[in-house]
Amino acid sequence: MDRCIVLVDAGYLLGAAASLLAGEPSRSRITVDHSALVQGLRDRAESETRQPLLRIYWFDGAPDRVPQPEHRRLRVMPRVTVRLGALTRSDGRWAQKGVDAAMHAELTELARNRACSDIVLITGDGDLLPGMMAAKEHGVAVHLWAVQAADGDYNQSEDLVAEADERRVLDRAWITRAVRAKDLGGVCAPPHAPRPEIAAILSAPLPDSALSGAAERPAEEPERTAPATNGAPDRLPATKGVPTPKDLAQLRAGTPHPQPPSSATLRWSSDKGWVDRPGAATEPPEVAAMPTLAQLTTAEQRWADREEDITTVGGDPYEVGQVFARRWMSRLGEQGQVQKLSGMYPRIPHRIDGELLRYAARFGLLAHKDDQIDEHDRYAIRAGFWREVGVRTATEPASAGE
């Protein structure tokens, strides 16, 4: 059929762009305007092939194949289909698994079914050579696009280059329309200013009870000794009121551990360390008893929420917090509870906070960096939550008077 299809190896495209603009192939060194990039690919493909675009296939890796925020943004764009392989970590480096095989399968299947007359292939991997040859045998013209190499040499397989019907290079001028290097030393782009809402949460003072509890703790405490089964004592640091998993791992099997003080409570799930203060002072009973979003949501609403998450929510941490808060407050009914909650700023009730972070996990925000929760993402999620609470509490008096 007289139309074109674009197959994008995102690892190659963005890695080569990072090498070109930032000097190393780490995608964390660049920021990407995916809308501009997709539009640029579409315009150039239609211009080069002189055929209308059928679809852009975006092949990338993700931890456990969980779509990351960029994948969620891409897959709701018109004419874009996202295919994910696994992203695994070995010897301190991330590696894609299954992406090349998926591209090969898609390339040969499209050609065999005569779904298009031209295929634009953006990759550098020679493993796709058999797929390219099969596509040509089925009468499809294969256009191979490269990203300008930082050292002026090829960053593609020479066999792949030789087999392509047409070859074009995406140069620096084209790449920089949608991709830019992050400023890591005052060389490239101006530093990105943090959201004031996040800065407000980070700078908010702790409750008086927490400050007094921390002040009463000695600067240096002796190590606590726990009895060991073989008669030799095991040493545990006594700087925390409650043992961490690391502390517990240091004990031998069957070794008892002293009971933690009942006043030791965790300030935030994102904070480091423990703060001693009376448990009753952490959350008022009326706040602690607030219903969760799951308790307020019907089966029909749950289905609609999932539909919205898949089709319209991009997955930005700040946006995720806003969406969650908007749903929760709209179903709460008794808006006086929102006023009580706003008085606890910047602390979110423990049950609500846990549900908020579990909701964010759907978007891949909490499944990266060696499976550790990214601290900046957590603050951004909560800042989005408080932004929606602030909007609701600010507009309530006006709506009530109308």
Side-chain angles (χ1 to χ4, degrees):
M1 300 186 70
D2 294 335
R3 52 194 179 185
C4 68
I5 290 176
V6 180
L7 305 183
V8 180
D9 180 349
Y12 166 77
L13 173 60
L14 300 182
S19 295
L20 179 64
L21 303 180
E24 60 180 79
S26 173
R27 289 162 62 171
S28 62
R29 297 290 303 274
I30 57 175
T31 57
V32 184
D33 183 342
H34 290 90
S35 296
L37 182 57
V38 166
Q39 188 60 48
L41 292 173
R42 177 171 187 166
D43 292 344
R44 181 149 183 169
E46 292 181 337
S47 175
E48 294 281 350
T49 64
R50 298 183 181 180
Q51 302 292 349
L53 177 77
L54 172 62
R55 190 173 299 114
I56 295 175
Y57 288 89
W58 187 275
F59 295 87
D60 203 0
D64 298 325
R65 289 186 168 85
V66 175
Q68 302 298 292
E70 64 179 282
H71 302 140
R72 300 183 68 87
R73 289 191 292 270
L74 283 163
R75 69 184 185 180
V76 297
M77 293 180 183
R79 304 286 179 134
V80 177
T81 296
V82 176
R83 296 282 189 260
L84 293 180
L87 192 63
T88 60
R89 192 173 182 85
S90 177
D91 297 329
R93 301 182 61 182
W94 290 102
Q96 294 184 159
K97 301 293 183 181
V99 174
D100 295 338
M103 289 190 69
H104 180 277
E106 199 72 56
L107 176 61
T108 55
E109 191 70 14
L110 291 170
R112 183 182 299 111
N113 292 325
R114 301 186 181 277
C116 58
S117 60
D118 297 74
I119 290 180
V120 175
L121 195 59
I122 306 177
T123 186
D125 198 329
D127 290 344
L128 287 174
L129 180 61
M132 177 186 288
M133 297 173 64
K136 292 174 63 177
E137 291 297 326
H138 285 90
V140 175
V142 180
H143 305 249
L144 182 66
W145 289 2
V147 176
Q148 178 183 342
D151 55 7
D153 200 356
Y154 284 140
N155 52 13
Q156 291 178 307
S157 162
E158 292 187 13
D159 291 336
L160 210 60
V161 173
E163 189 67 27
D165 293 307
E166 302 282 348
R167 184 174 184 266
R168 296 290 184 270
V169 176
L170 305 176
D171 59 15
R172 182 187 294 268
W174 191 91
I175 291 293
T176 52
R177 296 176 187 173
V179 183
R180 66 178 178 86
K182 292 181 180 178
D183 181 21
L184 300 178
V187 178
C188 304
H192 177 69
R195 290 182 182 270
E197 295 89 347
I198 300 177
I201 289 181
L202 293 173
S203 61
L206 294 173
D208 293 339
S209 57
L211 293 175
S212 60
E216 293 172 358
R217 189 173 55 210
E220 295 184 2
E221 297 181 8
E223 290 185 335
R224 182 186 299 121
T225 301
T229 54
N230 62 356
D234 284 337
R235 295 290 182 176
L236 289 178
T239 56
K240 302 181 179 73
V242 174
T244 67
K246 182 179 180 181
D247 296 335
L248 296 176
Q250 294 173 352
L251 289 176
R252 292 186 174 91
T255 301
H257 189 276
Q259 291 296 322
S262 59
S263 61
T265 52
L266 186 62
R267 283 188 317 175
W268 284 64
S269 58
S270 62
D271 284 341
K272 299 176 181 178
W274 301 82
V275 175
D276 294 332
R277 65 173 177 269
T282 58
E283 291 180 359
E286 63 273 15
V287 173
M290 284 184 176
T292 63
L293 178 61
Q295 293 172 326
L296 298 168
T297 303
T298 65
E300 291 79 6
Q301 289 173 327
R302 189 176 301 110
W303 181 90
D305 291 347
R306 193 61 173 165
E307 180 77 7
E308 182 184 9
D309 289 343
I310 294 173
T311 57
T312 63
V313 180
D316 174 78
Y318 191 84
E319 177 193 17
V320 168
Q322 288 182 299
V323 172
F324 180 92
R326 190 179 309 123
R327 291 174 182 169
W328 182 69
M329 289 187 295
S330 66
R331 298 165 191 173
L332 193 57
E334 185 182 345
Q335 296 303 319
Q337 291 184 307
V338 178
Q339 293 289 351
K340 296 175 184 177
L341 176 65
S342 63
M344 290 191 64
Y345 178 88
R347 294 173 50 80
I348 301 175
H350 177 72
R351 296 167 67 225
I352 307 299
D353 187 56
E355 188 181 38
L356 171 60
L357 294 181
R358 288 192 297 273
Y359 170 68
R362 297 182 185 176
F363 300 89
L365 293 172
L366 310 180
H368 54 92
K369 293 189 176 180
D370 297 328
D371 295 328
Q372 296 297 315
I373 297 177
D374 183 78
E375 189 169 19
H376 181 271
D377 282 353
R378 282 175 289 168
Y379 282 119
I381 292 165
R382 289 161 175 145
F385 178 93
W386 282 116
R387 172 62 179 170
E388 284 300 310
V389 173
V391 169
R392 175 63 62 94
T393 55
T395 57
E396 273 183 1
S399 60
E402 291 178 355

